[in-house]
Amino acid sequence: MKKIISYIATIFLVIGITTSCSRVEENLFEESAAIRLNKSISDITDLLRSAENGWIMEYFPNGESAGVVFLVNFISSKEAKMASDNQYLKNTYTEANGYWRVISDMGPVLTFDTYNDIFHLFSDPVDPSSGSSDGVGLGGDYEFLIVAISQDLITLKGKKNGTTTLLRRFDNGKDWKTYFTELRSMNIALFGTNMVPLRLTVNGNDTLTLKNGGSHIFTTIPKVGTEIDDADELPFIVTDYGIRFVYPFSVNNVSIQDFKLSEDGNELICIDKDANAMIQAVLPNEVFHEMLNKKKYLNMTSSPEMMSASIMEAYQLINSAVVAATRKLDYIGFVNNKDLGFTLAIMSSKGTSKVEGNIGYDLIKKENTVQLVRNGKNDNDNGKNYIKNFAANTLLNTLEGEYILSVSGIKLTSTTIRFENKNDKNKWFVLSMK
């Protein structure tokens, strides 16, 4: 019995020693971890403050909203100055100050823990676009896990939504307001004012049509799908180099996220590793039809740079007849009239009196061309008057034919289209959106 008790006691002694040693090791480890974490917080705080002119903050409030650019300067150990220029600030450059800290929360966390008017509106329970107090608003993050750091780039992950926010060191001496003016110019370079559809190519193959780029949330339509049944939404942020999508996404087994604007401004080129992808303008035929579908006027201009000699001669016959009637020729162009369909529109005026005539055409779409065919059916009364009394017939007959289309200017945003007759290269004209 004594041997048994002695054996049991020995076991408990061993357990006690083991437990005691374990406790000592845990305490030492926790202390070491705490020291390391405190040093990490100190180092990150110093790094954030080391950027003399601040950081570019590429921020997505959540996974469904467009990205927003801020400039932020950590001007003291507690205070940060921020600036932005976005739709919720009425596209006006605005600055605000607030407080910040790097805290410990299962690792270093950057928190902007006092309200400022330009940043916290994304986490405010009031929706900044509608003003409704729905208790959620945009649901944006204001606390960020620090995922990776280098001297010039810090990667953050929103604690609530998990979206990635980047801090890029801003160039010393560069003016903040000028930077946002340049961002606005980049937005115009990418999307203009007309929001022409774009297309995503991967390994040289068309994969998606991208629409509504001006909203910074693309409507994506698969090549084999339709906008009604298969469209999706993909938020992105306009940067000083191009665009970055809210998440990496896969198309034909290729992961893509970041795109840089080419030097000629004609395309966005994916800069992600092993990704042969580009965002380009849709084909000229599609640009033309898109403008017509939006009921936009595509007008002709009578000059040697904008039309061939034969078409300019026919155009000038109308102009001379209009002037002879003491009127002014305002424009001649094509439009998809809501009542008459595809027509050639002629507008002339005298004082406040304006008269538009519409003359019907059939528009035959082919793979790489369009054919203009005078149909004589969809003319309104004013159109018939321009034919009868203002010498319009010569131009109508001259314009008939099959045309190869090309885009003039920067392809990503251009709505200026050159029509060259497929069978007669000496017959051509240019249409520009009114």
Side-chain angles (χ1 to χ4, degrees):
M1 180 67 70
K2 286 182 180 179
K3 287 184 180 180
I4 294 173
I5 293 172
S6 175
Y7 180 67
I8 293 171
T10 303
I11 292 174
F12 278 107
L13 178 62
V14 172
I15 292 172
I17 293 169
T18 305
T19 305
S20 176
C21 292
S22 178
R23 284 176 181 164
V24 170
E25 287 175 357
E26 282 183 9
N27 289 337
L28 287 172
F29 179 79
E30 287 175 0
E31 182 181 13
S32 177
I35 291 170
R36 288 197 303 269
L37 181 56
N38 286 338
K39 186 177 186 307
S40 177
I41 288 172
S42 178
D43 289 344
I44 292 167
T45 300
D46 290 343
L47 176 61
L48 290 169
R49 292 198 59 200
S50 71
E52 180 182 321
N53 202 27
W55 300 81
I56 300 166
M57 185 179 193
E58 298 174 5
Y59 170 73
F60 286 96
N62 56 64
E64 292 78 43
S65 296
V68 179
V69 174
F70 292 91
L71 289 177
V72 53
N73 195 347
F74 301 92
I75 56 181
S76 75
S77 58
K78 294 181 179 180
E79 193 174 9
K81 182 178 82 170
M82 304 186 81
S84 191
D85 180 348
N86 59 69
Q87 60 177 319
Y88 301 115
L89 302 173
K90 299 181 180 178
N91 295 313
T92 301
Y93 174 81
T94 309
E95 293 182 0
N97 283 23
Y99 290 98
W100 69 284
R101 291 184 296 160
V102 180
I103 62 174
S104 169
D105 187 0
M106 301 298 290
V109 169
L110 173 61
T111 176
F112 297 91
D113 52 5
T114 16
Y115 191 90
N116 77 58
D117 292 335
I118 67 170
F119 183 66
H120 290 90
L121 61 83
F122 291 94
S123 52
D124 198 302
V126 176
D127 188 328
S129 56
S130 67
S132 64
S133 300
D134 60 2
V136 178
L138 292 174
D141 277 293
Y142 61 91
E143 292 189 314
F144 305 90
L145 300 168
I146 297 170
V147 177
I149 59 172
S150 68
Q151 280 299 111
D152 299 316
L153 179 66
I154 301 174
T155 304
L156 309 173
K157 183 178 180 181
K159 277 187 65 178
K160 181 165 52 177
N161 294 311
T163 51
T164 297
T165 287
L166 298 182
L167 291 175
R168 294 190 289 123
R169 188 180 290 265
F170 191 43
D171 295 338
N172 288 343
K174 191 161 185 178
D175 181 69
W176 280 29
K177 195 170 185 178
T178 300
Y179 177 76
F180 284 103
T181 299
E182 292 172 356
L183 270 188
R184 188 172 295 182
S185 296
M186 173 63 79
N187 191 61
I188 292 171
L190 295 176
F191 305 111
T193 56
N194 306 310
M195 291 180 281
V196 176
L198 302 173
R199 58 193 173 114
L200 174 67
T201 65
V202 176
N203 294 325
N205 299 313
D206 284 358
T207 59
L208 296 171
T209 298
L210 309 175
K211 303 184 83 171
N212 305 318
S215 69
H216 298 179
I217 303 176
F218 277 129
T219 299
T220 66
I221 307 162
K223 185 179 179 181
V224 295
T226 68
E227 187 167 356
I228 294 175
D229 297 325
D230 305 294
D232 205 349
E233 290 192 335
L234 191 57
F236 62 92
I237 190 170
V238 173
T239 69
D240 48 50
Y241 59 84
I243 68 172
R244 179 168 66 88
F245 288 101
V246 60
Y247 298 118
F249 65 101
S250 181
V251 179
N252 294 350
N253 297 317
V254 177
S255 179
I256 52 182
Q257 184 177 22
D258 284 278
F259 287 77
K260 182 178 181 180
L261 184 64
S262 62
E263 289 188 11
D264 61 11
N266 283 327
E267 56 200 5
L268 286 157
I269 301 169
C270 187
I271 56 177
D272 298 317
K273 185 179 179 182
D274 300 326
N276 178 20
M278 290 187 288
I279 294 174
Q280 301 171 305
V282 295
L283 298 176
N285 287 21
E286 295 177 62
V287 176
F288 177 52
H289 294 302
E290 181 70 18
M291 293 301 100
L292 291 177
N293 289 340
K294 290 182 176 180
K295 311 300 184 200
K296 301 294 185 181
Y297 282 80
L298 288 161
N299 291 348
M300 308 175 77
T301 301
S302 178
S303 71
E305 298 79 26
M306 301 298 282
M307 58 179 59
S308 63
S310 60
I311 294 177
M312 186 160 61
E313 182 178 352
Y315 184 105
Q316 288 300 336
L317 286 175
I318 299 174
N319 185 60
S320 297
V322 168
V323 171
T326 66
R327 300 183 67 82
K328 175 189 172 186
L329 182 62
D330 294 310
Y331 59 77
I332 299 176
F334 286 100
V335 67
N336 185 11
N337 184 279
K338 65 178 181 178
D339 298 316
L340 302 173
F342 181 60
T343 66
L344 182 73
I346 303 174
M347 170 76 86
S348 69
S349 60
K350 183 176 183 179
T352 58
S353 168
K354 294 182 177 292
V355 176
E356 181 179 271
N358 294 92
I359 301 167
Y361 274 81
D362 289 329
L363 180 63
I364 301 172
K365 305 174 185 178
K366 299 188 177 181
E367 184 176 0
N368 298 311
T369 63
V370 296
Q371 187 169 357
L372 305 179
V373 180
R374 171 84 174 92
N375 65 28
K377 297 179 293 185
N378 296 340
D379 306 347
N380 65 7
D381 289 341
N382 289 331
K384 294 173 182 176
N385 185 47
Y386 279 114
I387 294 171
K388 181 178 180 181
N389 298 311
F390 292 89
N393 249 338
T394 302
L395 180 62
L396 302 178
N397 295 332
T398 305
L399 288 177
E400 281 199 287
E402 187 174 354
Y403 291 88
I404 300 168
L405 275 57
S406 58
V407 171
S408 302
I410 302 298
K411 293 181 173 59
L412 276 179
T413 56
S414 179
T415 53
T416 300
I417 305 169
R418 189 178 190 273
F419 286 64
E420 182 180 288
N421 191 282
K422 183 179 179 181
N423 301 312
D424 182 0
K425 292 186 177 181
N426 292 318
K427 188 164 78 171
W428 58 269
F429 60 94
V430 174
L431 298 180
S432 299
M433 200 173 80
K434 180 182 174 183

